[in-house]
Amino acid sequence: MNVPLSGRPARMVLLAGLGVAAVGLIFYTTHSPSAAVSVKAGKVKSVYVQTAAVSTGLLEETVTLSGTVISRNSVDILPQTQGMITNLYVHVGQAVRANQPLAQLQD
């Protein structure tokens, strides 16, 4: 089920992402060996370079959020007659069609 994020959860995800990016940028600019590179009168300081073999693999990320889900539409179902329900033909959250019996009342 694809549900677009909106409201407070979207802001939380956005702020968390911006926070991680800011911390990464600060760490990179203060700990990056390339930050020490400078060119003065044709001389270049040595630069530390780390290499790694290329590989493929799975990238897994988990995001845990909490919130309240509110439906866009709701319907109040009122029977035309009163009585006890003897059979219930649908479950909570189940999709239904027009004119589909939902329940049976006692005769």
Side-chain angles (χ1 to χ4, degrees), residues 32-97:
S32 174
S34 62
V37 175
S38 65
V39 178
K40 292 182 182 177
K43 296 181 181 179
V44 177
K45 292 183 179 181
S46 61
V47 177
Y48 172 77
V49 177
Q50 181 179 3
T51 61
V54 176
S55 64
T56 59
L58 296 176
L59 178 62
E60 185 176 320
E61 182 176 333
T62 302
V63 177
T64 304
L65 301 171
S66 64
T68 302
V69 178
I70 301 172
S71 66
R72 291 183 188 157
N73 300 318
S74 64
V75 176
D76 291 329
I77 300 175
L78 302 170
Q80 294 176 354
T81 62
Q82 295 182 356
M84 296 284 291
I85 294 177
T86 57
N87 289 317
L88 190 59
Y89 301 122
V90 293
H91 301 286
V92 173
Q94 178 180 342
V96 295
R97 296 180 309 273

